Amino acid sequence: MQKSKLGLDFEKVEYARGLAKGIAQDVQTFVEQYTTVAVERTLCRLMGIDGVDDNDVPLPNVVVEALKDKGVLNEGALFFIANAMIQTGLTPQQIAEKVAREELDITKVVTTNPQEIAHALQPVIDESMARIRARRSRREHYLDTIGEGPKPYLYIIVATGNIYEDVVQAQAGARQGADVIAVIRTTGQSLLDYVPYGATTEGFGGTFATQENFRIMRKALDEVGEEQGRYIRLCNYCSGLCMPEIAIMGAFEGLDVMLNDALYGILFRDINMQRTLIDQYMSRIINGFAGVIINTGEDNYLTTADAVEAAHTVLASDLINEQLALMAGLPEEQMGLGHAFEMDPMLENGFLLELAQAQMTREIFPKATLKYMPPTKFMTGNIFRGHIQDALFNMIGIWTHQGIQLLGMPTEAIHTPFMSDRYLSIENAKYIFNNMKSIGEEMEFKEDGICRNRVKEVLGNTIKLLEDITKEGLFTALEKGIFGDVKRPKNGGKGLEGVTMKGANYLNPFVELMKGKR
């Protein structure tokens, strides 16, 4: 059995993991009975449907809305598209274009038997999966030939609103030493129930996540990666109302990391919990198949709740998120579980408390590519103190063997920090990572000391919380504000109208294929 530097009781850890598995299974039982408009639009995209109509409405939306208006969405978009393919001899793209021009009603096409439908779908399914495999193979080829930076990966953000300016900033960041470039989404995109089309130049607080923008940035990072002699990872956001759609677009265009967490959308974007957990399942199946690392959003809970009192809610959520990801077929190595302690710089021994929790998280999730986020709640006002706090977090990142280190920087609040500040932050991390490279192997935690006692307390509170959630279920717990002190109604929030129970003819062959074949 794994030995804990903190004296963790792994029997209690496994008990907590078992509780989380039961909670996740209850959610999964619900999820598997339903589909959503976003899931069906994702299946349209997997069939090769792309582009917009004369009113700039994405064609996947056009097809799915047509089925929804006829009250047959629960039978699945693939069922109707396949029937239309058989009866008309058209491709899925041609069918979508005819639906957009109101020249074809795919709900009135004569249906055929399941064998014919499967035969018609197979070549299209094979083509889509081959496209994703090719992208994954391209990444693996780069990693085998030019390699990558060491862990923790240095993670920075760009967010100019203009994809072409983002390219300039991203390539500059890679040359300064960054390993992961995260293109922040424009404000409010998570609440759009469609994905914009094409290259965009007018985002606010970030840049629109579109397939063309993904393509442009992937090409730019491949160019700078070849120049620098190391692979540069690209990160974006498949969360919000289009979670699985953005996941498939990222899979097609070779993204490496995706922010992918339903709980964040529920708590901080008021997205309906039923819909977004269904969407999350499909998105994680895609990310698992594509080899994409997912980042979850637990670190954000402590921006709205007290970091000392609510630390156990982060661990509880990590455990639940782990189980939901495993049920979607996503390997542990692709889990960037979020954690960080929004420590008040004036808190006595705050560094030790955070060090204990970071080491605890590493020991509980030994295979995960953990995402470690710098503090933000107390970073306004004194940027010099903030820079020191970021240095302390960098120490903990290397000490506890984190996977992805989100770098804090003095002008981070403007989303595209000054290049000089970004340079300082990258140098800060590189200097500390080199000077403290083996500290995790050298240092021990004192018996009955602050760190060991802290993790006992956090794990104990985590178990109690998971026991409470087990009794009432995750949906009810979210209604009561169990995470982040934010309460959300089960039957409220944005997007509930996009959920429908699956019918007898529901068809989605991609799920088992992607979960079973990598």
Side-chain angles (χ1 to χ4, degrees), residues 7 445-450 452-453 456:
F445 294 91
K446 178 182 175 182
E447 186 73 37
D448 200 33
I450 291 173
R452 286 186 173 227
N453 287 334
K456 287 178 185 176

Side-chain angles (χ1 to χ4, degrees), residues 8-9 12-20 23 298 307-322 357 360-361 364-365 454-470 482-483:
L8 271 176
D9 185 337
K12 288 185 177 180
V13 170
E14 289 312 304
Y15 174 65
R17 186 167 266 122
L19 291 171
I23 293 164
E298 284 82 4
V308 177
E309 294 178 1
H312 63 287
T313 68
V314 172
L315 177 57
S317 181
D318 279 333
L319 287 163
I320 294 169
N321 243 324
E322 175 194 45
Q357 290 167 187
M360 173 189 70
T361 308
I364 292 174
F365 306 99
R454 176 59 176 168
V455 299
K456 287 178 185 176
E457 176 188 13
V458 173
L459 180 58
N461 289 339
T462 298
I463 289 172
K464 183 178 185 305
L465 176 61
L466 290 170
E467 288 173 338
D468 291 343
I469 297 174
T470 298
I482 207 75
F483 298 115

